[in-house]
Amino acid sequence: MKHTITVLVENEFGVLPRVSGLFSGRGFNIESLCVAPTLDPTISRMTIVTCGDDQILEQITKQLNKLVNVIKVIDFTDQPFVQREMAMIKISAEAETRAEILRIVDIFRAKVVDVTPRSYSVEVTGAPEKIDAMIELLRPLGVKELVRSGPIVLGRGAKAWKSAE
Amino acid sequence: MKKTGSQILLECLALEGVETVFGYPGGTVINIYDDLMDSPIHHILTRHEQAAVHAADAYSRVTGKVGVAIATSGPGATNTITGIATAYMDSIPMVIITGQVPTPLIGNDAFQEADMVGITRPITKHNYLVRDVKDLARIVKEAFYIARSGRPGPVLVDLPKDVQMATAVFEYPETVELRGYKPTTAANPRQLEKAVDMILQARKPVIYVGGGATLSDVSEDLKAFAEAIQAPLTTTLMGMASFPKQHPLSVGMLGMHGTFYANMAVTNADLLIALGARFDDRVTGKIATFAPHAKIIHVDVDPTSIKKNVRVDLPVVGVLPDVLPRLVEGLQSQPERLAEAVEATQGWRDQVEEWKQQHPMAYKKTKSTIKPQYVIEKLRELSDDDAIVTTEVGQHQMWTAQFFDFTQPRTFVTSGGLGTMGFGLPAALGAQAAFPKRQVIDVSGDGSFQMNSQELATLVQYRLPVKIVILNNNFLGMVRQWQQLFFDKRYSQTCLELPIDFIKLAEAYGAKGFQATKPEEVEDVIRQGFATPGPVIMEFKIAREENVLPMVPAGAGLNEMVLAS
C-alpha cells in the first residue's frame, strides 16, 4: 500500500543521504521524494512516497525518527490531507494534433509554457491521479518528455506542522 | 585565551572523563598527537587502527564508559571500519576521532582522503564532519551524549587538519540541545500495568535477556524480577554475564548453539518477556516456529527493535533500570495474585527441569585428545571469579559461551552482532588497560588469532599481562563444521595447513608461550600461564573435528536441534 510521509529535518549538509541511505540500506522503497526549506530556514521538509505493509511502514517511521537530524515524522495515511504534484510535459504537436492537445490542456486546467512549430510544453498541477489521467490522454498524441515533481502534501484543517511540538 | 582545535578536542575529552584513548598517529592527526604530549590523557599505540577501535570498544564494555579511538585520515580511517561496525551492532558507546584532509582539499581526491562521514553513515549512531573550529566543542559534547544515551552506539567525529590548527575561544557547553534526538527513558505506566497483568496470567513464562541488560547494569534488578515471578531465564550471547548460569532459574543461552532446555522452554512458552534483546536470527531460528504459543512482551530502549523481526503483543519502550523495578513493584502490589501465579507455574518449572536433566550441556571426554570444552571448563576452574574473558569468533567463542560459567556482569567481551574474527586480542588489550590488576583472558582459535596477532607487540610494550588461549585445530573450525554437516565434508579452504609455531611467535614479541598436546597437560599449562607474569600464549592442540553442539541449522526452528554428531 502507498503511504505519504512528511519528514521535518535539520536543514544541514548531508541530511538527505542519511534519509535516502536508510531507505536503501534497509530495503525500503522510495517512489518519490521532495525536499525544500520551510518558513524556518533551519528546517527542511521532505515528502516521501513509499509503499509497504503496516509493519514495514511502522519500521520506516521508527527508523526515520531514530535519525538524530530528523525532527518530526508525520504519516498522513490516517488523516485527511491535500496532495499536489506538478508535471511538465513536452508533446509533439503536428498540425492535426495541435487542437486536440489544447483541448486536453483546457480540460485539465493545465497551461502551455513553451510552444514551437512542432511541440507544446505544458505544465499541470493536481493530485497524482489527475496527472496520470492527463498523461494517458496525451500519450497517443506523442509525449516526448515528461518530468514529475513527486507529490507534496499538507494536512487539512487549522493544525500546522512546523517543528517538534 | 584562544586555543587550537586539537587542544580544544583534548580538553573536551578530559572534561568527558576520558582517561585512556587508543590510536595510531598519521599526517592529519599529527597536531592532536603533538598536543597529546602535554595532556593528562593516556594514549595506547596499537599496531593497527582496527585494533585501536576494538580495544576502545572493549574498554567501554568492561567499564561502561565511552571508549575513544583516534586514527588518521584515508587508510587509517578506513581501517577503523570493522571496529566501528562491530561496536554499532553490539550498541557500544564510543567516540571515534578521525583526521581529515584540510577543508579546502575535501572532495579533491587529496592524498589520504576518504569520505568518512559517507562511509560510516550506516555503521554509526551519528557522525560529524567538523567544518569550523567554533563548532568543535559543541560537536564533541553532542558526540559523547549521543554515544552513551538511549540505545548506545559509536559516533564518529571527522576532524580536518586545518580545523585542528585553527583557533577559537574554548567554552565547553553545559547541556546538549538536539531537537531531533530525545531518547525515551521512563516507560509508559499503562504498558507496565498490562505487562504485570500478562505476567500474572501466564502459566509458562520465559524471560529472554539480551545485551541491553549488560549495557544498563541491571543484574540485581534482573535477579529480583526473575525470582519474584519464578520464571526460567535465558540469555543471548550478549546478555550472558548479566545472569549467572548457576542460578536455579537460569536455562543458559538460547538460539543456534543454545542449550536444549532453553530452546525447548522458548518453543513451549505461553509468555516470552524479552528484555533488551532484539530477536536476532541466530536467536530465533525460523521465525514461523519461534515461540509459536507465546504472547510476547518486548522491553527495549530502541523502538525500531520492537516488531522488527517478530510480532509483539505488548511493546514497552524504556530502559531496564526503570522498567524492572517498576514491574517488580507492580507485581508485589498484588501479593495474592503473584503467589497464585508462582504456584500455578510450578509444573512449568518442573517441566523445564526435566528438559535440563534430559539433555544437559555435555561433551565426550577422551584420553588421547584434548577436548576444547575441557580446556574452557578448566579455565573457569583455575581463573579468578572476576576474570574478564574476551573471544574471537567461531567455535571457540561458542564453547566459551557454553562451558565458561560467568558469574559477574561485564566479564564476557565478545563480538555478537557483527561476529568479527580478530576482535578478541585487541579487546583483551583494551580490557586489561581498563583493569591492569584483573585477570584478562583472550580465548581464541588459530584462525581468528592470526587476524590481529600483531597486537602482541602492544601487550608487551605496555606490560599488559593478557593470557591468550589458542584452541588450535588447524581449521577455520566453524565453517568446517558447516561444511561437514551441510556440504558433505567438502572442506573448501578451511584447513589452515601451515602449522604455526605460536610459542616462537610469542617469544619473537617478547612474550611467553606454553603448549599442551595431551589432556593431562591442560591443567599444568593453564597454571603455568596464569603464574607467568606478562602476556602469555597457551596453545592447546585440540580434537580437530570437534563440533559445537547443540546446533540449530540455519533456517530451522529452535526445536529442530542437532544434539550429537
Side-chain angles (χ1 to χ4, degrees):
Chain A
M1 189 189 158
K2 237 184 227 191
H3 291 270
T4 308
I5 306 169
T6 288
V7 192
L8 300 178
V9 300
E10 298 286 350
N11 184 8
E12 268 175 25
F13 181 83
V15 176
L16 181 60
R18 285 185 205 281
V19 172
S20 59
L22 187 156
F23 276 75
S24 60
R26 296 199 175 263
F28 304 141
N29 181 34
I30 298 184
E31 284 206 2
S32 73
L33 170 71
C34 294
V35 203
T38 61
L39 259 181
D40 174 351
T42 68
I43 296 176
S44 282
R45 181 164 172 146
M46 294 184 179
T47 309
I48 301 172
V49 178
T50 181
C51 58
D53 58 23
D54 287 351
Q55 196 219 344
I56 289 175
L57 202 82
E58 186 178 329
Q59 267 298 311
I60 292 175
T61 18
K62 283 172 167 180
Q63 293 284 359
L64 283 168
N65 267 313
K66 194 167 152 180
L67 294 176
V68 172
N69 295 135
V70 168
I71 301 165
K72 183 90 198 163
V73 181
I74 311 142
D75 177 8
F76 278 106
T77 310
D78 296 327
Q79 40 187 312
F81 61 93
V82 190
Q83 191 177 24
R84 289 292 178 272
E85 184 177 7
M86 180 189 230
M88 294 202 280
I89 310 160
K90 192 170 283 186
I91 315 143
S92 328
E94 304 299 338
E96 64 273 24
T97 56
R98 292 183 86 89
E100 174 63 7
I101 292 168
L102 288 181
R103 262 197 298 278
I104 294 169
V105 164
D106 199 36
I107 292 166
F108 283 89
R109 288 183 206 144
K111 210 158 80 182
V112 176
V113 290
D114 186 49
V115 193
T116 72
R118 303 187 52 203
S119 74
Y120 279 132
S121 291
V122 302
E123 128 191 351
V124 59
T125 53
E129 302 76 36
K130 170 180 162 183
I131 294 171
D132 292 345
M134 182 167 173
I135 293 166
E136 280 319 303
L137 287 175
L138 290 175
R139 196 192 293 273
L141 305 173
V143 174
K144 290 156 71 83
E145 194 180 343
L146 166 71
V147 50
R148 296 177 71 150
S149 65
I152 51 173
V153 297
L154 201 59
R156 284 191 186 273
K159 183 177 170 49
W161 296 104
K162 276 189 298 201
S163 64
E165 304 93 59
Chain B
M1 199 189 83
K2 286 192 166 183
K3 291 186 168 157
T4 64
S6 57
Q7 288 169 333
I8 290 173
L9 171 74
L10 293 171
E11 295 226 6
C12 293
L13 296 185
L15 286 169
E16 286 295 334
V18 176
E19 290 166 9
T20 304
V21 300
F22 302 85
Y24 204 102
T28 59
V29 284
I30 199 162
N31 298 77
I32 298 172
Y33 275 84
D34 186 60
D35 288 322
L36 205 50
M37 294 188 82
D38 307 318
S39 160
I41 291 169
H42 178 50
H43 179 275
I44 290 183
L45 171 71
T46 56
R47 294 301 184 271
H48 192 294
E49 288 89 350
Q50 182 192 348
V53 181
H54 289 326
D57 167 324
Y59 182 92
S60 169
R61 291 185 202 229
V62 296
T63 60
K65 298 204 277 185
V66 178
V68 179
I70 303 174
T72 193
S73 63
T78 54
N79 273 347
T80 65
I81 297 301
T82 304
I84 297 172
T86 303
Y88 183 67
M89 289 290 269
D90 289 344
S91 309
I92 306 304
M94 289 190 65
V95 171
I96 300 97
I97 316 280
T98 46
Q100 183 52 281
V101 300
T103 43
L105 290 182
I106 290 177
N108 284 16
D109 298 329
F111 177 64
Q112 293 195 330
E113 180 186 359
D115 171 15
M116 283 309 286
V117 165
I119 292 171
T120 61
R121 205 175 283 126
I123 54 165
T124 50
K125 188 170 170 189
H126 195 56
N127 59 21
Y128 292 93
L129 170 63
V130 188
R131 300 172 153 264
D132 187 335
V133 69
K134 290 201 231 30
D135 299 330
L136 179 58
R138 173 185 58 81
I139 286 174
V140 176
K141 176 90 185 172
E142 286 177 6
F144 274 84
Y145 173 69
I146 292 169
R148 67 160 77 93
S149 57
R151 176 180 180 177
V155 178
L156 179 123
V157 178
D158 200 26
L159 193 53
K161 189 179 165 79
D162 56 331
V163 179
Q164 293 168 37
M165 294 163 74
T167 57
V169 177
F170 175 55
E171 216 179 313
Y172 203 51
E174 303 246 316
T175 53
V176 172
E177 276 302 322
L178 287 164
R179 53 185 169 182
Y181 180 72
K182 303 247 181 329
T184 308
T185 49
N188 183 327
R190 261 174 301 174
Q191 297 298 91
L192 290 181
E193 267 171 43
K194 283 185 205 157
V196 166
D197 219 51
M198 285 167 76
I199 292 167
L200 291 172
Q201 280 170 24
R203 292 299 172 258
K204 295 176 177 179
V206 171
I207 304 169
Y208 149 51
V209 176
T214 306
L215 292 166
S216 56
D217 297 299
V218 289
S219 290
E220 289 305 312
D221 297 320
L222 199 56
K223 195 161 154 259
F225 174 65
E227 287 175 358
I229 63 172
Q230 289 292 311
L233 183 149
T234 180
T235 74
T236 66
L237 187 69
M238 305 311 295
M240 183 161 284
S242 59
F243 195 79
K245 276 189 225 163
Q246 296 84 346
H247 194 287
L249 290 171
S250 170
V251 290
M253 182 171 75
L254 80 165
M256 183 174 274
H257 293 298
T259 63
F260 169 77
Y261 36 100
N263 287 343
M264 289 304 281
V266 169
T267 304
N268 290 281
D270 71 353
L271 178 68
L272 191 63
I273 308 159
L275 305 172
R278 60 186 175 83
F279 297 87
D280 173 84
D281 55 282
R282 285 298 191 259
V283 160
T284 61
K286 196 206 291 175
I287 293 279
T289 56
F290 177 73
H293 315 294
K295 288 199 167 150
I296 296 179
I297 299 174
H298 191 176
V299 183
D300 208 288
V301 65
D302 178 3
T304 66
S305 285
I306 299 174
K307 295 190 204 169
K308 185 175 67 182
N309 301 340
V310 297
R311 73 201 148 73
V312 169
D313 299 279
L314 184 73
V316 179
V317 179
V319 295
L320 295 175
D322 169 65
V323 169
L324 286 173
R326 284 169 68 191
L327 280 180
V328 172
E329 203 179 299
L331 289 158
Q332 285 171 345
S333 69
Q334 306 179 53
E336 280 154 32
R337 282 186 75 198
L338 180 58
E340 189 195 308
V342 168
E343 206 191 307
T345 50
Q346 185 58 48
W348 171 238
R349 284 188 295 278
D350 293 343
Q351 169 68 72
V352 172
E353 192 54 39
E354 203 182 306
W355 285 322
K356 255 192 205 184
Q357 304 303 328
Q358 221 176 326
H359 290 289
M361 284 306 297
Y363 61 95
K364 279 201 194 96
K365 287 199 176 92
T366 55
K367 288 219 165 105
S368 51
T369 52
I370 301 175
K371 284 301 182 85
Q373 301 93 331
Y374 174 69
V375 178
I376 303 292
E377 282 179 346
K378 280 287 157 195
L379 265 181
R380 169 73 294 183
E381 194 184 311
L382 299 171
S383 60
D384 299 341
D385 269 356
D386 68 347
I388 294 166
V389 176
T390 70
T391 74
E392 315 285 339
V393 168
Q395 288 185 310
H396 66 273
Q397 178 192 32
M398 289 299 114
W399 285 319
T400 307
Q402 292 177 329
F403 291 94
F404 197 103
D405 290 345
F406 294 93
T407 56
Q408 295 184 23
R410 294 191 183 272
T411 53
F412 184 35
V413 176
T414 192
S415 166
L418 196 68
T420 307
M421 289 173 73
F423 172 78
L425 183 59
L429 185 172
Q432 190 80 76
F435 294 109
K437 299 234 154 66
R438 278 166 72 178
Q439 229 168 29
V440 178
I441 306 161
D442 168 31
V443 179
S444 177
D446 52 311
S448 281
F449 175 75
Q450 292 181 67
M451 282 209 179
N452 267 319
S453 59
Q454 78 285 344
E455 296 309 317
L456 279 169
T458 316
L459 295 181
V460 173
Q461 181 187 337
Y462 291 93
R463 298 194 175 83
L464 299 167
V466 169
K467 310 302 174 199
I468 302 155
V469 171
I470 301 178
L471 301 178
N472 188 353
N473 53 11
N474 283 106
F475 269 124
L476 297 174
M478 188 58 97
V479 181
R480 185 212 56 76
Q481 176 173 337
W482 283 50
Q483 289 171 336
Q484 179 193 333
L485 297 174
F486 314 118
F487 290 87
D488 205 17
K489 283 201 176 189
R490 285 155 56 88
Y491 293 166
S492 175
Q493 303 296 317
T494 44
C495 182
L496 302 174
E497 296 191 25
L498 181 74
I500 308 288
D501 189 332
F502 288 112
I503 311 305
K504 271 195 189 149
L505 183 76
E507 283 162 2
Y509 281 103
K512 292 265 175 351
F514 304 98
Q515 189 191 54
T517 55
K518 296 194 223 54
E520 60 267 28
E521 295 166 353
V522 168
E523 192 166 330
D524 275 353
V525 163
I526 296 175
R527 283 186 193 281
Q528 257 181 308
F530 283 155
T532 305
V536 171
I537 288 182
M538 299 175 234
E539 182 197 6
F540 301 90
K541 296 274 198 188
I542 59 161
R544 291 198 69 201
E545 300 191 41
E546 185 71 10
N547 286 335
V548 179
L549 295 168
M551 179 178 192
V552 177
L558 285 192
N559 54 342
E560 300 171 74
M561 284 166 274
V562 179
L563 294 168
S565 303

